[in-house]
Amino acid sequence: MIIAPSLLASDFGKFAKETIRASKAKADWLHLDIMDGHFVPNISFGPEVVRVLRRETKMTFDVHLMCSNPEILLEPFAKAGADLITIHAELGDRVPQLLWKIRSLGVKVGLAVNPPTGIANAEPYLSQIDLLLVMTVNPGFGGQPFIQEMLPKIQQAAAWRRERGLNFRIEVDGGINQTTAVECARAGADTFVSGTALFGQRQLGRAISKMRQAVTRAAAGQ
Ligand code: DX5
Ligand code: ZN
């Protein structure tokens, strides 16, 4: 089970400090939300921020591109130190080329599906990806409530993975807290992005280990 705190919910004036805090709290990955003000109605930060944070930790950098034109961003983020780059299925027929390009940069490959988008849109690519991101809120902002209706998508993705003997990770992102993480784990998720519910905690290490324990138990059917 992977717990990935989302830097979007940290103090924007203290990114380096917050990255070190997540690393010391034994987060498995750091989730970095890149918003371009076009694909989503918000702007976050770019490759230069990722590059300077790369010096602070060896943690896996999970870069989530909520961007209309990722073609021009893949190389800059790979060079900045991304370990995994996720693009969105909503980009349609540009998806295959983008997945190939990420792979060719030596970075792990992720594909995300927004709440209104059917999981069938990701299905043709399952053998080509390392991670499938099922968005559990409409992307753009942290702190939104979890959309329950996304649970069947997680179940479907887990069924495809099992039936086809594939091993992509199933990541959930948006409104993930101790309770909703457990629901997602029961549905088949194994990678949990959580912003507000983790960075908002004084004792981040405790919150992360509590979530890891809860989802591990849930996945084991306990
Ligand atoms: C939403 C982002 C998320 C966000 C999650 O657009 O993709 O990664 O940081 O934040 P919470 O956990 O607060 O919903
Ligand atoms: Zn995200």
Side-chain angles (χ1 to χ4, degrees):
M1 294 288 171
I2 297 283
I3 308 296
S6 170
L7 196 67
L8 193 71
S10 76
D11 183 335
F12 267 46
K14 297 182 183 158
F15 275 158
K17 256 190 162 165
E18 295 282 64
T19 298
I20 294 164
R21 184 159 84 98
S23 188
K24 286 196 174 143
K26 300 205 165 51
D28 302 285
W29 294 0
L30 187 68
H31 185 81
L32 299 143
D33 286 303
I34 313 302
M35 303 178 175
D36 66 350
H38 187 265
F39 187 82
V40 287
N42 195 7
I43 295 179
S44 58
F45 50 86
E48 182 59 15
V49 171
V50 176
R51 192 185 69 80
V52 299
L53 297 180
R54 187 68 285 179
R55 301 184 199 132
E56 308 293 343
T57 176
K58 290 196 161 71
M59 237 185 320
T60 290
F61 276 5
D62 172 27
V63 172
H64 176 194
L65 294 184
M66 286 158 276
C67 303
S68 296
N69 195 10
E71 284 83 353
I72 58 165
L73 297 171
L74 300 178
E75 202 170 328
F77 278 105
K79 281 197 175 140
D83 296 291
L84 188 149
I85 298 179
T86 296
I87 54 121
H88 269 262
E90 291 74 24
L91 298 167
D93 57 13
R94 288 153 61 203
V95 167
Q97 181 78 7
L98 286 162
L99 298 180
W100 176 86
K101 177 80 198 226
I102 298 171
R103 179 81 63 207
S104 75
L105 290 165
V107 174
K108 290 220 161 103
V109 180
L111 182 64
V113 240
N114 277 342
T117 305
I119 193 75
N121 288 273
E123 199 253 321
Y125 308 111
L126 298 179
S127 63
Q128 297 161 47
I129 59 177
D130 300 297
L131 175 140
L132 176 66
L133 168 52
V134 178
M135 288 304 301
T136 44
V137 299
N138 285 301
F141 301 91
Q144 305 180 74
F146 177 78
I147 304 174
Q148 290 284 340
E149 287 76 14
M150 298 301 109
L151 290 170
K153 283 182 168 181
I154 302 168
Q155 287 165 344
Q156 176 61 262
W160 281 331
R161 183 171 63 177
R162 206 171 40 242
E163 288 157 16
R164 299 175 192 187
L166 296 170
N167 59 5
F168 57 87
R169 304 201 71 90
I170 301 178
E171 182 176 65
V172 285
D173 181 10
I176 300 298
N177 55 34
Q178 301 290 348
T179 310
T180 56
V182 163
E183 293 179 57
C184 292
R186 288 200 182 112
D190 54 35
T191 305
F192 304 84
V193 176
S194 176
T196 315
L198 291 181
F199 268 111
Q201 301 298 316
R202 255 171 182 277
Q203 296 190 297
L204 181 58
R206 217 167 134 175
I208 289 172
S209 77
K210 193 176 156 201
M211 188 176 285
R212 194 184 287 115
Q213 270 175 32
V215 295
T216 303
R217 253 187 264 123
Q222 293 164 11

